[in-house]
Amino acid sequence: MTVATDAGPLERLRAILGELADLRHAEALADWDSRVSMPPAGAEGRADVLATLTRLTHEKLVSDEVGELLEALESVEDETDAALVRVTRRSWERACRVPGELAAEMTHAAGVAVAAWDRAKAASDFESFVPHLERQLELKLRYIECFPEAQTPYDVLLDDYEEGTTTADVQRVFDRLKQELVRLMEQRADDGPALRGPFPVAQQQLASRLVLDAFGYDETKWRIDETPHPFAEKPGLDDIRLTTHTDPGDLTSLFSTMHEFGHGVYEFDIDESFARTPLGRGTSSTIHESQSRTWENLVGRSRGFWRWFYPQLQPLFPEALGRIDEDGFVRAVSAISPGLIRGDADEVTYGLHIILRFELEQELLAGTVALRDLPEVWNARMKDYLGVDVPDDAHGVLQDMHWSVGYIGYFPTYQLGNVASVQIWERARDDLGELEEQFARGEFSPLREWLREHVYRHGGKYPPRELLQRVTGSELDPEPYLEYLRTKFT
Ligand code: ZN
């Protein structure tokens, strides 16, 4: 794209931001490919590609020209333009602190470590993963040093995912949740009938597709693929990539598809005029996870949803579900059941998995837990919080990919997302009435439209705390979430 030399500062900034967005989209595409279709041996070569893209993005962003343009635009009046300048200034200031070499090294290390983690997990071999984890930790500590004014090391990492939220904020919410979650877990009653397969993969994919179509999936703009560890990505306008993992032994793919739909729809419904700017992305991880959890749990584990969908699901699996009625099925997919795997956890014990990771991440950064002791500490805490015995590291400390790619500080946003999801949900219900009755009729567009209007279309325009305040009139508050859990589970 050529830019007239006499273009005003806003046009010039937009042109630079457009190219930065293109570079990020290329990075997203290379990352998506590495997780969906790349042969495993390609990891080393792909790490080079991603590191180069990171370095180019970084150089372009930290240029003096961007600094001068931001200064010239300081008092821009239009609300959206002012938001664009604010968001750009924040990432410019953060990026200027970090040497480009370090940014590229972090990306490269992630590409190599994720492949090593894959192998380590398959062999349940923590030992082989230790050098990679060591490297990630060392890079994170160097990154943290770039922000010497931060109150705690963890604040630096958290701020990358959740602007304006501190470790102390998270601690307050988690302290409140922990005791209540443990109490709810201990009071658990009826688990419903056991759901035993076979659940043939093709039938599960068909079921996922029926649900996606009802939620508003458009195959000219979306696609869905299989991957071991599901995620969603937007490598460009009108290009939403969902992934899921279908295991013939259970029905978790359905819930993971609905989860990733929540991420996808948030990105998809952002105001089109924000495309190729930093406003064209969801505002934070917490708000993102609030939406994935909304579609996975508040919709996908509701009675109304299953009133509509169980009559379609049951005939797809006559052998496994033939003798299980709708009520039994809903109880089974909602049951509180303390287990080993975060991704499969029920709505109550999920938070305990997150609290454990939040604690361990801070201890790793502080050096109070040594990397080599991590499996032992992990297993002891799983026993303590969830009462489960971890049989091997694949089902323990190696289960999540996050640390391999350097996502330290991300986990809390999953649980903060759960908390925010119910706050937003309550406002939607105030406006839309009994949502479950609509779901029972297979009607999901009123909810999606409401969320588009109040949350999705704004993209990154408002910082997460301001967005939540605008939508709910309140700060992040764990009480509505706890009330939702108490109503549902006791
Ligand atoms: Zn998610």
Side-chain angles (χ1 to χ4, degrees):
M1 179 186 293
T2 49
V3 180
T5 44
D6 60 349
L10 189 60
E11 287 67 36
R12 179 63 192 141
L13 184 67
R14 279 181 175 278
I16 295 172
L17 293 174
E19 290 180 347
L20 280 168
D22 294 341
L23 285 168
R24 287 209 186 85
H25 288 149
E27 212 173 323
L29 192 56
D31 181 55
W32 173 86
D33 173 75
S34 74
R35 295 169 69 177
V36 172
S37 47
M38 185 183 74
E44 188 70 44
R46 183 58 51 86
D48 289 334
V49 173
L50 288 166
T52 297
L53 285 167
T54 299
R55 193 179 304 111
L56 291 174
T57 307
H58 191 270
E59 277 166 15
K60 207 169 179 56
L61 176 60
V62 302
S63 69
D64 292 341
E65 188 186 9
V66 171
E68 285 156 20
L69 290 169
L70 287 170
E71 204 162 314
L73 290 164
E74 210 147 86
S75 47
V76 67
E77 286 194 353
D78 175 79
E79 194 198 9
T80 302
D81 294 339
L84 185 68
V85 170
R86 185 193 70 77
V87 173
T88 306
R89 175 170 284 284
R90 173 174 145 84
S91 44
W92 179 78
E93 280 174 353
R94 285 184 78 76
C96 284
R97 303 289 201 90
V98 182
E101 269 317 304
L102 176 57
E105 266 183 83
M106 285 164 57
T107 303
H108 191 274
V112 174
V114 73
W117 164 77
D118 239 336
R119 291 189 300 270
K121 187 182 170 192
S124 197
D125 175 11
F126 180 72
E127 208 48 40
S128 71
F129 185 55
V130 168
H132 297 279
L133 201 47
E134 232 157 28
R135 174 95 176 113
Q136 283 298 356
L137 203 54
E138 177 219 318
L139 290 168
K140 281 295 156 187
L141 291 169
R142 274 167 62 196
Y143 179 77
I144 288 165
E145 277 173 19
C146 303
F147 302 88
E149 74 287 358
Q151 296 277 317
T152 72
Y154 202 76
D155 281 348
V156 176
L157 306 185
L158 198 53
D159 200 46
D160 275 339
Y161 305 113
E162 207 49 41
E163 180 183 359
T165 293
T166 65
T167 313
D169 295 330
V170 177
Q171 191 68 56
R172 259 192 307 279
V173 173
F174 285 6
D175 284 346
R176 174 72 186 109
L177 293 180
K178 193 172 174 182
Q179 38 167 324
E180 283 283 300
L181 295 180
V182 168
R183 207 177 54 78
L184 282 162
M185 180 177 73
E186 282 164 355
Q187 288 180 350
R188 75 201 180 96
D190 176 21
D191 288 351
L195 297 181
R196 286 201 191 84
F199 300 104
V201 167
Q203 309 291 88
Q204 290 201 57
Q205 287 170 336
L206 177 60
S208 280
R209 192 48 203 273
L210 290 170
V211 170
L212 288 175
D213 285 342
F215 286 177
Y217 178 93
D218 169 352
E219 65 184 357
T220 67
K221 295 172 179 175
W222 299 58
R223 60 177 286 145
I224 181 163
D225 294 270
E226 288 285 333
T227 188
H229 307 280
F231 65 102
E233 192 59 91
K234 180 174 71 172
L237 181 68
D238 287 341
D239 182 356
I240 301 291
R241 312 284 175 105
L242 306 183
T243 62
T244 194
H245 174 65
T246 311
D247 181 335
D250 59 43
L251 284 173
T252 51
S253 77
L254 196 49
F255 296 96
S256 120
T257 299
M258 290 191 272
H259 180 102
E260 300 307 336
F261 171 82
H263 287 303
V265 72
Y266 182 8
E267 290 292 323
F268 184 78
D269 280 348
I270 293 173
D271 189 325
E272 278 198 16
S273 70
F274 296 172
R276 295 178 79 240
T277 82
L279 302 187
R281 295 198 296 255
T283 189
S284 78
S285 303
T286 290
I287 302 298
H288 242 293
E289 293 302 336
S290 80
Q291 293 316 298
S292 55
R293 301 294 275 179
T294 291
W295 290 93
E296 176 191 358
N297 287 334
L298 302 180
V299 177
R301 285 191 165 86
S302 70
R303 292 244 161 218
F305 174 84
W306 288 108
R307 175 69 33 93
W308 165 72
F309 194 56
Y310 195 63
Q312 297 177 69
L313 185 80
Q314 194 183 30
L316 292 174
F317 306 102
E319 203 180 318
L321 300 180
R323 278 185 290 277
I324 295 175
D325 65 7
E326 179 197 312
D327 178 63
F329 183 82
V330 176
R331 277 185 292 128
V333 296
S334 308
I336 301 175
S337 144
L340 297 165
I341 306 297
R342 174 189 62 86
D344 299 340
D346 60 78
E347 291 177 83
V348 169
T349 58
Y350 188 91
L352 298 170
H353 288 268
I354 297 300
I355 290 169
L356 176 144
R357 286 157 178 76
F358 172 60
E359 292 171 355
L360 283 178
E361 287 184 336
Q362 292 176 79
E363 289 162 281
L364 284 174
L365 291 175
T368 51
V369 167
L371 272 182
R372 284 181 191 281
D373 299 335
L374 200 52
E376 204 181 310
V377 179
W378 179 285
N379 297 352
R381 249 175 253 188
M382 284 297 288
K383 182 76 179 169
D384 187 16
Y385 296 175
L386 287 138
V388 294
D389 292 301
V390 180
D392 54 45
D393 293 336
H395 294 87
V397 68
L398 285 174
Q399 66 183 267
D400 297 307
M401 77 178 299
H402 299 61
W403 292 343
S404 74
V405 291
Y407 283 8
I408 302 174
Y410 189 98
F411 282 119
T413 67
Y414 286 117
Q415 187 59 12
L416 299 179
N418 281 330
V419 167
S421 73
V422 177
Q423 290 181 265
I424 295 170
W425 183 258
E426 291 197 334
R427 293 287 78 75
R429 220 177 33 193
D430 289 345
D431 287 352
L432 299 173
E434 270 318 313
L435 286 167
E436 297 228 8
E437 287 169 19
Q438 298 170 19
F439 301 162
R441 296 190 297 268
E443 292 168 12
F444 304 97
S445 54
L447 174 66
R448 176 170 167 181
E449 259 315 296
W450 190 96
L451 289 167
R452 192 190 65 76
E453 173 65 23
H454 292 85
V455 181
Y456 303 160
R457 73 185 172 96
H458 299 305
K461 185 171 172 182
Y462 304 112
R465 296 177 76 140
E466 184 182 339
L467 181 73
L468 194 65
Q469 189 77 43
R470 279 172 173 268
V471 179
T472 69
S474 154
E475 289 278 302
L476 193 72
D477 175 8
E479 298 312 321
Y481 171 66
L482 286 171
E483 185 54 32
Y484 159 80
L485 291 180
R486 281 191 293 265
T487 306
K488 185 163 181 176
F489 293 105
T490 56

Short mmCIF file of all heavy atoms in Angstrom, two decimals, residues 259-260 263 289 292 410 414, ligand 1:
data_model
loop_
_atom_site.label_atom_id
_atom_site.label_comp_id
_atom_site.label_asym_id
_atom_site.label_seq_id
_atom_site.Cartn_x
_atom_site.Cartn_y
_atom_site.Cartn_z
N HIS A 259 -16.81 -23.67 23.16
CA HIS A 259 -15.85 -22.75 23.78
C HIS A 259 -15.14 -21.92 22.70
O HIS A 259 -15.12 -20.69 22.77
CB HIS A 259 -14.83 -23.58 24.59
CG HIS A 259 -13.80 -22.76 25.29
ND1 HIS A 259 -13.84 -22.50 26.63
CD2 HIS A 259 -12.68 -22.14 24.83
CE1 HIS A 259 -12.80 -21.74 26.96
NE2 HIS A 259 -12.08 -21.51 25.88
N GLU A 260 -14.60 -22.61 21.71
CA GLU A 260 -13.85 -21.89 20.69
C GLU A 260 -14.78 -21.03 19.83
O GLU A 260 -14.36 -19.98 19.34
CB GLU A 260 -13.04 -22.86 19.81
CG GLU A 260 -12.01 -23.70 20.59
CD GLU A 260 -11.05 -22.89 21.47
OE1 GLU A 260 -10.84 -21.70 21.18
OE2 GLU A 260 -10.54 -23.47 22.46
N HIS A 263 -14.81 -17.64 21.40
CA HIS A 263 -13.67 -16.80 21.01
C HIS A 263 -13.86 -16.28 19.58
O HIS A 263 -13.61 -15.11 19.29
CB HIS A 263 -12.37 -17.61 21.06
CG HIS A 263 -11.89 -17.92 22.45
ND1 HIS A 263 -11.65 -16.94 23.39
CD2 HIS A 263 -11.61 -19.10 23.07
CE1 HIS A 263 -11.22 -17.50 24.51
NE2 HIS A 263 -11.19 -18.81 24.35
N GLU A 289 -12.16 -14.91 27.42
CA GLU A 289 -12.56 -16.17 28.07
C GLU A 289 -13.99 -16.07 28.62
O GLU A 289 -14.69 -17.08 28.69
CB GLU A 289 -11.57 -16.55 29.18
CG GLU A 289 -10.17 -16.91 28.69
CD GLU A 289 -10.12 -18.06 27.68
OE1 GLU A 289 -11.04 -18.89 27.65
OE2 GLU A 289 -9.15 -18.11 26.89
N SER A 292 -15.96 -17.27 25.68
CA SER A 292 -15.85 -18.71 25.38
C SER A 292 -16.60 -19.51 26.43
O SER A 292 -17.31 -20.47 26.12
CB SER A 292 -14.38 -19.13 25.31
OG SER A 292 -13.70 -18.78 26.49
N TYR A 410 -1.20 -16.19 32.02
CA TYR A 410 -2.45 -16.27 31.26
C TYR A 410 -3.55 -16.98 32.05
O TYR A 410 -4.72 -16.60 31.99
CB TYR A 410 -2.23 -17.01 29.93
CG TYR A 410 -3.43 -16.92 29.00
CD1 TYR A 410 -3.47 -15.99 27.97
CD2 TYR A 410 -4.55 -17.74 29.18
CE1 TYR A 410 -4.56 -15.89 27.14
CE2 TYR A 410 -5.66 -17.64 28.36
CZ TYR A 410 -5.66 -16.71 27.34
OH TYR A 410 -6.76 -16.60 26.53
N TYR A 414 -8.59 -17.18 32.66
CA TYR A 414 -9.68 -18.16 32.46
C TYR A 414 -10.72 -18.04 33.57
O TYR A 414 -11.92 -18.04 33.33
CB TYR A 414 -9.12 -19.59 32.50
CG TYR A 414 -8.33 -20.02 31.29
CD1 TYR A 414 -6.99 -20.36 31.41
CD2 TYR A 414 -8.93 -20.14 30.05
CE1 TYR A 414 -6.26 -20.79 30.32
CE2 TYR A 414 -8.20 -20.56 28.95
CZ TYR A 414 -6.87 -20.89 29.09
OH TYR A 414 -6.15 -21.32 28.01
ZN ZN B 1 -10.48 -20.13 25.78
#
